[in-house]
Amino acid sequence: MSAAHTGPDGGRAAAHGAADRPRLTTRLVGEHALLVELDSGSAVEALHAALLERREAGSLPPVREIVPAARTVLLDGVHDPRALAADLPSWDVPAQPAPARDTVELPVRYDGPDLAEVAALWGVPVDEVARIHAATEFRVAFCGFAPGFGYLTGLPERYATPRRATPRTSVPPGSVALAGPYTGVYPRSSPGGWQLIGTTDAVLWDHTRVPAALLAPGTRVRFVPAGPAVRP
Amino acid sequence: MTDSAVAVIRAGALTTVQDLGRPGHAHLGVPRSGALDRPAALLANRLVGNGTSAAVLETTLTGCALRPRRTLTAAVTGAHCSVTVDGRPAAWGAPVRVPAGALLDIGHARAGVRSYVALSGGVAAEPVLGSRSTDLLSGLGPAPLADGTVLPLGVAGGPYARVDTAPQPRPPVELVLRVTLGPRADWCTHEALKTLTTRAYRVSPASNRIGLRTEGPPLERAIPGELPSEGLVSGAVQVPPDGRPVVFLADHPTTGGYPVVAVVREADLWAAAQAVPGTPVRFVL
């Protein structure tokens, strides 16, 4: 018994020499959703961009949610996910998605309580953590955990950071944090196991604002070092 | 505050404002939320002449008591319970006239978990992203009701339904959840999938609006660890490290890393909202 829905041609649309055809696997998720699995974060980004373009152009069947994640895109609220699964492998998806729209700049003070630990993990002096982080162009790979929380990719693999052995019961809002390959900013106070390296005053989520979320999948992000924390 | 409002005299264990939820924002980490027993909420609105998107109150086991400041029509559906107006018995599952200043009391659930209270005009709490639903996972929407809360009401629309009682399903004696396997059934052993679809589980008291937790034989994983986070749907049957399947309901997180081995049909999820702890659960293919 296999969980994976295999499409008419076996599900895995391996690239038949066509570099612009995505390598993808489709899996049915219940009766009205489809999980598309890709082999890299950039392939997820490319397919996500293509899905949004097609929805904008009216050429995508109605879908309630398009949820990109680390290696997948979930399409939920689809009338006929089998038909979409059969159609997807024939799409031409540019390997490089459209150039970034705006870049969001987040002012940051690199004053987190885990800076020294991260520096030790990376094998660099403490100052270097801030320099490396601020020099990185990040992209919101996906959101989750809490409204407005983005999983930002962009740090080189060698700077992947393990979670804390014991999560904190309360992480202050605006905390800039690292876990695995990701950087994130806590939109509000919550428990959390990520390593805290800094603080931003940017408001990540405000439901009275349009758009409510400062970061959405695909948003480019730069952290701009601000002055030292002003302590009252 | 205008007279078009209702005061909460007894909030009950957990009473929240719910409508049909806020779909379309999962990519921002925003759960869909909305009434857990949607057919019951829709029926309550229909009985008082509200539109389908009007907000109702969702109680949990112990009901609530309300004092409207204007005369209105109310209807209580979902979990079966006593309904009184100023102490006099009134109908459950039918339109009830509540004069201005009278006390509408929704009693403890006799069967089922969640009662739905529609008030003509609907609860007009401030919408967030197009919905008035309380989302207990991410804290969006109005806070759960507290004694003394005053909720604004909308303008009453259509006429109430001329019915004595509306037919409603009984709360499940046994919760039968039809599932399709996948998307990550391969993360469990064949034996575990057989266990899931043949053995009996029970509704755990730790269940809430986020998920229906179960007690029963743990499912053995074929692949240990976590997946890279991926999108989740309502009805997803997730297998956490303890092996006891969790069925995700309206306030579920939008992404997660534990494998989803099966998905419950949407039509069967509403009954899950009414299954009291201890109710036997069967997952059937």
Side-chain angles (χ1 to χ4, degrees):
Chain A
M1 189 176 333
S2 168
H5 163 67
T6 50
D9 60 349
R12 177 158 277 276
H16 302 296
D20 50 358
R21 296 280 162 91
R23 280 177 61 90
L24 54 84
T25 307
T26 54
R27 293 167 185 262
L28 288 179
V29 181
E31 299 167 293
H32 297 294
L34 184 68
L35 190 69
V36 187
E37 196 168 15
L38 298 126
D39 48 20
S40 71
S42 57
V44 169
E45 183 183 9
L47 180 64
H48 181 236
L51 285 162
L52 295 186
E53 270 171 33
R54 282 168 192 250
R55 180 155 74 174
E56 188 79 10
S59 59
L60 186 70
V63 46
R64 188 169 61 232
E65 310 278 1
I66 300 176
V67 189
R71 289 290 178 271
T72 56
V73 181
L74 174 73
L75 296 140
D76 190 13
V78 185
H79 176 66
D80 188 352
R82 278 189 174 81
L84 188 57
D87 187 41
L88 268 170
S90 69
W91 290 17
D92 285 325
V93 178
Q96 291 300 317
R101 294 153 298 216
D102 300 339
T103 296
V104 170
E105 294 195 341
L106 299 178
V108 60
R109 298 182 300 275
Y110 287 101
D111 58 1
D114 301 330
L115 258 187
E117 195 172 332
V118 170
L121 286 162
W122 288 8
V124 300
V126 170
D127 291 359
E128 270 293 285
V129 174
R131 198 197 59 75
I132 291 165
H133 197 260
T136 303
E137 181 175 296
F138 291 94
R139 181 182 76 79
V140 180
F142 60 99
C143 295
F145 172 64
F149 186 91
Y151 291 76
L152 277 55
T153 53
L155 277 176
E157 228 170 276
R158 64 183 178 279
Y159 298 133
T161 309
R163 285 162 199 259
R164 294 178 59 77
T166 309
R168 289 184 169 87
T169 52
S170 177
V171 173
S175 294
V176 177
L178 306 176
Y182 302 113
T183 287
V185 183
Y186 284 78
R188 57 186 178 134
S189 177
S190 62
W194 291 34
Q195 309 269 8
L196 310 184
I197 61 165
T199 313
T200 179
D201 294 330
V203 177
L204 277 290
W205 176 266
D206 175 358
H207 70 256
T208 64
R209 180 178 68 190
V210 178
L214 191 58
L215 309 182
T219 305
R220 306 284 152 171
V221 180
R222 257 185 191 286
F223 290 89
V224 180
V230 180
R231 305 214 182 267
Chain B
M1 185 68 64
T2 67
D3 280 354
S4 195
V6 60
V8 177
I9 306 303
R10 179 175 65 83
L14 173 64
T15 302
T16 60
V17 178
Q18 296 296 338
D19 55 18
L20 300 180
R22 43 182 75 82
H25 305 284
H27 62 289
L28 301 176
V30 177
R32 180 169 184 182
S33 194
L36 229 50
D37 182 348
R38 192 186 302 167
L42 288 169
L43 174 64
N45 270 331
R46 205 153 60 235
L47 288 172
V48 303
N50 285 346
T52 54
S53 62
V56 301
L57 300 179
E58 179 182 279
T59 70
T60 312
L61 290 170
T62 62
C64 68
L66 310 167
R67 199 186 292 283
R69 293 179 180 173
R70 67 161 162 82
T71 299
L72 50 71
T73 305
V76 182
T77 61
H80 191 268
C81 60
S82 70
V83 179
T84 62
V85 177
D86 274 344
R88 281 187 291 277
W92 169 85
V96 171
R97 183 173 178 275
V98 186
L103 185 71
L104 171 66
D105 192 278
I106 294 97
H108 288 223
R110 291 186 190 125
V113 177
R114 296 172 173 94
S115 299
Y116 291 85
V117 187
L119 306 170
S120 52
V123 176
E126 194 61 36
V128 173
L129 299 180
S131 166
R132 298 183 164 98
S133 289
T134 301
D135 168 357
L136 293 177
L137 180 76
S138 43
L140 297 185
L145 269 50
D147 295 353
T149 301
V150 176
L151 295 167
L153 295 172
V155 179
Y160 61 87
R162 305 274 173 180
V163 295
D164 293 332
T165 52
Q168 292 190 63
R170 288 172 188 281
V173 176
E174 179 190 49
L175 185 61
V176 178
L177 300 175
R178 290 168 294 172
V179 297
T180 52
L181 290 182
R184 300 292 180 187
D186 49 340
W187 277 55
C188 272
T189 62
H190 285 279
E191 200 53 44
L193 294 178
K194 200 175 156 200
T195 300
L196 175 71
T197 53
T198 56
R199 298 280 296 278
Y201 286 83
R202 280 180 186 282
V203 174
S204 157
S207 300
N208 54 26
R209 284 184 43 86
I210 296 165
L212 182 94
R213 291 174 185 278
T214 64
E215 293 165 346
L219 302 180
E220 195 196 343
R221 294 258 296 264
I223 306 173
E226 276 191 56
L227 287 147
S229 284
E230 60 191 28
L232 294 168
V233 300
S234 286
V237 181
Q238 195 188 53
V239 182
D242 71 5
R244 264 93 185 182
V246 177
V247 180
F248 277 137
L249 303 177
D251 289 357
H252 69 83
T254 57
T255 59
Y258 297 129
V260 171
V261 298
V263 179
V264 176
R265 288 201 201 179
E266 190 181 53
D268 292 358
L269 278 182
W270 319 127
Q274 300 296 1
V276 295
T279 303
V281 184
R282 277 196 303 127
F283 296 93
V284 299
L285 279 174

